[in-house]
Amino acid sequence: AQKITQTQPGMFVQEKEAVTLDCTYDTSDPSYGLFWYKQPSSGEMIFLIYQGSYDQQNATEGRYSLNFQKARKSANLVISASQLGDSAMYFCAMRGGQGGKLIFGQGTELSVKP
Amino acid sequence: DSGVTQTPKHLITATGQRVTLRCSPRSGDLSVYWYQQSLDQGLQFLIQYYNGEERAKGNILERFSAQQFPDLHSELNLSSLELGDSALYFCASSVGGGRGGEAHEQYFGPGTRLTVT
């Protein structure tokens, strides 16, 4: 069965510092995709970054990068130079099986302190 | 703005009633996915349609049904509503997601917050 685990229910980071949000996954599929989404208090789900299982390089999107370690089955999100607006819930997800449905972790609530 | 639209934004209804949630995918996207987010269950996949056909089914109750129309918009019908159906319902879309195809980024709509009283 496919599973996503986020072990940090909540995290604090000082403004302008970098922070790493952990995500581990479990799948027997040879091909899969890993996603990170941000959900601010307003409720919408904002796509941040995607990593394919066959991608050789770690994905980056602006201040977001995904530290993909295939052998360890981890896909940690790194946010550099944190901003107050980064305070939100962050979800790691995996595309599983036919069709592309996403399986989500429980989320990590990030609070950025001024 | 993701380009995915959902209506209505909020819905308050009574137990036993039936409601319809509507979603329009991003231009060019063929797949529509429905997810339910609740405090106790987290974010759960309900059902996916690809170019009008059902592609995958998750933990969707028999009281719930969905369809995707020729113009690719989708509707999620929830009937015989119970208090436990209160949740945030998201629609997402992607270009791919067909049989054997890669589905890359999935973009989410703003969600419909359903409250059953």
Side-chain angles (χ1 to χ4, degrees):
Chain A
Q2 293 160 324
K3 191 177 178 183
I4 290 279
T5 303
Q6 294 179 256
T7 56
Q8 307 152 314
M11 285 194 69
F12 291 91
V13 66
Q14 208 68 35
E15 195 179 5
K16 298 179 187 174
E17 290 186 352
V19 63
T20 297
L21 306 184
D22 293 342
C23 172
T24 56
Y25 61 92
D26 191 20
T27 182
S28 55
D29 287 342
S31 175
Y32 51 90
L34 296 155
F35 302 74
W36 278 93
Y37 286 86
K38 172 183 177 182
Q39 187 176 38
S41 58
S42 51
E44 71 267 33
M45 292 286 286
I46 302 167
F47 166 76
L48 295 178
I49 197 165
Y50 165 82
Q51 178 88 40
S53 56
Y54 292 120
D55 293 342
Q56 295 295 316
Q57 293 192 316
N58 287 343
T60 59
E61 290 284 351
R63 293 187 299 110
Y64 304 107
S65 60
L66 200 152
N67 185 0
F68 181 45
Q69 297 188 43
K70 199 169 182 176
R72 296 181 62 186
K73 294 191 174 179
S74 75
N76 299 338
L77 177 71
V78 180
I79 306 175
S80 63
S82 296
Q83 301 172 356
L84 296 178
D86 294 334
S87 293
M89 186 72 87
Y90 288 81
F91 289 95
C92 180
M94 177 170 60
R95 173 182 58 80
Q98 289 282 0
K101 67 180 182 186
L102 295 181
I103 298 157
F104 285 86
Q106 290 300 107
T108 294
E109 185 166 10
L110 178 67
S111 297
V112 181
K113 290 177 170 276
Chain B
D1 186 348
S2 67
V4 180
T5 60
Q6 286 187 252
T7 55
K9 212 166 181 181
H10 300 277
L11 202 46
I12 301 173
T13 190
T15 54
Q17 295 298 305
R18 173 189 168 94
V19 297
T20 297
L21 313 184
R22 184 189 166 103
C23 167
S24 292
R26 291 190 321 154
S27 176
D29 285 358
L30 297 178
S31 272
V32 168
Y33 309 80
W34 286 97
Y35 295 88
Q36 179 194 59
Q37 185 178 31
S38 61
L39 281 173
D40 52 344
Q41 298 286 339
L43 263 160
Q44 290 213 319
F45 166 74
L46 295 178
I47 196 164
Q48 178 205 357
Y49 280 83
Y50 177 77
N51 204 19
E53 292 185 5
E54 183 183 301
R55 178 62 71 230
K57 219 167 185 176
N59 298 325
I60 187 166
L61 299 171
E62 282 192 16
R63 300 183 286 108
F64 296 1
S65 65
Q67 54 184 326
Q68 186 179 28
F69 294 87
D71 67 352
L72 300 177
H73 91 269
S74 178
E75 292 181 357
L76 179 67
N77 299 296
L78 315 176
S79 61
S80 303
L81 285 167
E82 301 175 359
L83 295 177
D85 297 328
S86 296
L88 187 52
Y89 291 84
F90 285 109
C91 166
S93 73
S94 68
V95 172
R99 189 162 280 128
E102 286 274 329
H104 292 263
E105 295 89 346
Q106 275 187 35
Y107 292 91
F108 280 68
T112 293
R113 188 169 293 280
L114 173 66
T115 303
V116 182
T117 62

